[in-house]
């Protein structure tokens, strides 16, 4: 099971609504083109930016956001970098395409998760009424290493401490936090890699200095801005979009 997160942005001068229509048209064809290879995918919007979360067990090389959203690519800005291989993301330890080309979806690195999937049975959703929930935040560039350090420590000292499906992705200094409501909180079926107990008890006080605050935001969104869910599709357990 692969859990992948990507970030995209509209081309300058492009209306987000026009881009969204193209993104939705692409998603309508996923079942006919890819079957159930695309599981539990969610697309979130913030202004002219898009955040994509997807799970997949597919080994197909072409299963990337640029192929999933092929029609919408003309509405999206190009990110610097090459086209990587792998199902919805480059596979660790796998071969990488030597050719470099235009990409419209920048991969976000998993820097924190409350749990990691160990089997399909372990990862299966049991609440059909769940709702994907997305947030974004911006880190001060000089605080990125500190933020990653603390979160790896938390992840490996206390696996299963929050929403089972909660995960944070990082691209440049932008964070994307995917989770589901209501939260699924249950013990992780594995032990963390660290035996230390160094996670700060005053977690929020330690985290606050890491962020660039949003000006003019509601108090509850000064750090994490809520994203708008604009598309959702589910695997064999049920689909909704």
């Amino acid at each position: 099971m692969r859990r992948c997160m990507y970030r995209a942005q509209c081309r300058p001068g492009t209306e987000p609504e026009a881009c969204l229509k193209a993104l939705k048209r692409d998603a309508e064809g996923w079942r006919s083109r890819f079957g159930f290879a695309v599981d539990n995918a969610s697309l979130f919007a913030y202004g002219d930016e898009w955040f994509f979360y997807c799970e997949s067990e597919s080994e197909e090389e072409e299963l990337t956001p640029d192929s999933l959203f092929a029609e919408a690519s003309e509405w999206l800005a190009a990110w610097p970098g090459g086209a990587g291989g792998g199902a919805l993301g480059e596979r660790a330890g796998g071969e990488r395409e030597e050719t470099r080309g235009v990409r419209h979806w920048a991969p976000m690195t998993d820097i924190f998760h409350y749990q990691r999937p160990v089997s399909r049975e372990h990862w299966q959703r049991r609440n059909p009424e769940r709702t994907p929930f997305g947030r974004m935040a911006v880190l001060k560039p000089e605080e990125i290493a500190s933020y990653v350090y603390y979160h790896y420590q938390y992840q490996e000292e206390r696996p299963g401490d929050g929403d089972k499906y909660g995960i944070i992705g990082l691209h440049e200094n932008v964070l994307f936090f995917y989770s589901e409501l209501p939260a699924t909180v249950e013990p992780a079926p594995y032990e963390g890699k660290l035996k230390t107990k160094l996670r700060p008890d005053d977690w929020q006080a330690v985290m606050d200095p890491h962020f660039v605050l949003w000006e003019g935001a509601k108090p509850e969104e000064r750090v994490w801005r809520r994203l708008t869910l604009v598309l959702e599709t589910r695997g064999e357990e049920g689909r909704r979009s």
Side-chain angles (χ1 to χ4, degrees):
M1 173 68 71
R2 293 184 179 82
R3 309 181 70 195
C4 301
M5 296 162 286
Y6 286 83
R7 177 187 176 201
Q9 193 167 26
C10 292
R11 289 181 184 272
T14 297
E15 289 295 330
E17 188 60 35
C19 184
L20 177 58
K21 289 180 180 178
L23 290 164
K24 287 185 173 181
R25 285 195 297 270
D26 280 327
E28 288 173 358
W30 286 355
R31 285 293 175 263
S32 60
R33 289 185 290 142
F34 303 108
F36 283 103
V38 184
D39 292 340
N40 299 307
S42 300
L43 181 68
F44 299 87
Y46 180 76
D48 65 350
E49 293 201 51
W50 312 98
F51 294 87
F52 182 58
Y53 171 83
C54 188
E55 300 172 2
S56 176
E57 294 186 9
S58 173
E59 298 291 335
E60 296 297 325
E61 293 288 336
E62 73 273 12
L63 207 58
T64 67
D66 276 291
S67 61
L68 292 173
F69 296 110
E71 179 184 342
S73 63
E74 65 178 285
W75 302 97
L76 299 173
W79 289 100
L88 294 172
E90 185 176 333
R91 286 200 293 263
E95 295 183 357
R96 180 176 181 176
E97 293 183 11
E98 294 301 323
T99 58
R100 304 185 70 81
V102 175
R103 62 176 182 176
H104 301 93
W105 296 86
M108 304 189 80
T109 302
D110 171 4
I111 61 167
F112 175 81
H113 49 260
Y114 286 110
Q115 291 200 39
R116 55 177 170 79
V118 298
S119 67
R120 187 174 183 83
E121 180 181 6
H122 163 240
W123 208 245
Q124 184 176 7
R125 270 66 167 187
R126 295 175 175 80
N127 183 0
E129 301 304 319
R130 71 183 187 276
T131 301
F133 182 70
R135 296 181 291 168
M136 69 173 292
V138 179
L139 291 173
K140 298 174 183 176
E142 67 274 16
E143 297 291 347
I144 293 175
S146 173
Y147 189 85
V148 173
Y149 164 77
Y150 279 116
H151 278 73
Y152 182 77
Q153 188 179 74
Y154 183 10
Q155 171 183 294
E156 298 303 329
E157 286 185 353
R158 304 185 186 184
D161 196 48
D163 177 34
K164 178 179 180 177
Y165 303 103
I167 185 171
I168 299 178
L170 172 70
H171 175 247
E172 296 176 337
N173 65 325
V174 174
L175 297 171
F176 168 40
F177 194 162
Y178 173 86
S179 59
E180 297 178 359
L181 298 176
T184 301
V185 181
E186 61 185 40
Y190 58 86
E191 294 185 356
K193 297 179 181 179
L194 299 178
K195 304 303 180 184
T196 53
K197 296 182 180 180
L198 300 177
R199 178 196 180 277
D201 291 329
D202 53 346
W203 180 256
Q204 195 57 54
V206 173
M207 288 298 104
D208 285 345
H210 291 77
F211 297 99
V212 176
L213 300 182
W214 295 95
E215 295 184 5
K218 299 176 182 178
E220 64 271 21
E221 291 191 74
R222 291 292 306 282
V223 173
W224 288 97
R225 294 300 297 262
R226 181 168 182 169
L227 302 174
T228 301
L229 177 65
V230 295
L231 186 152
E232 179 194 2
T233 184
R234 301 182 178 185
E236 294 178 82
E237 63 191 76
R239 184 188 179 197
R240 184 177 68 192
S241 60

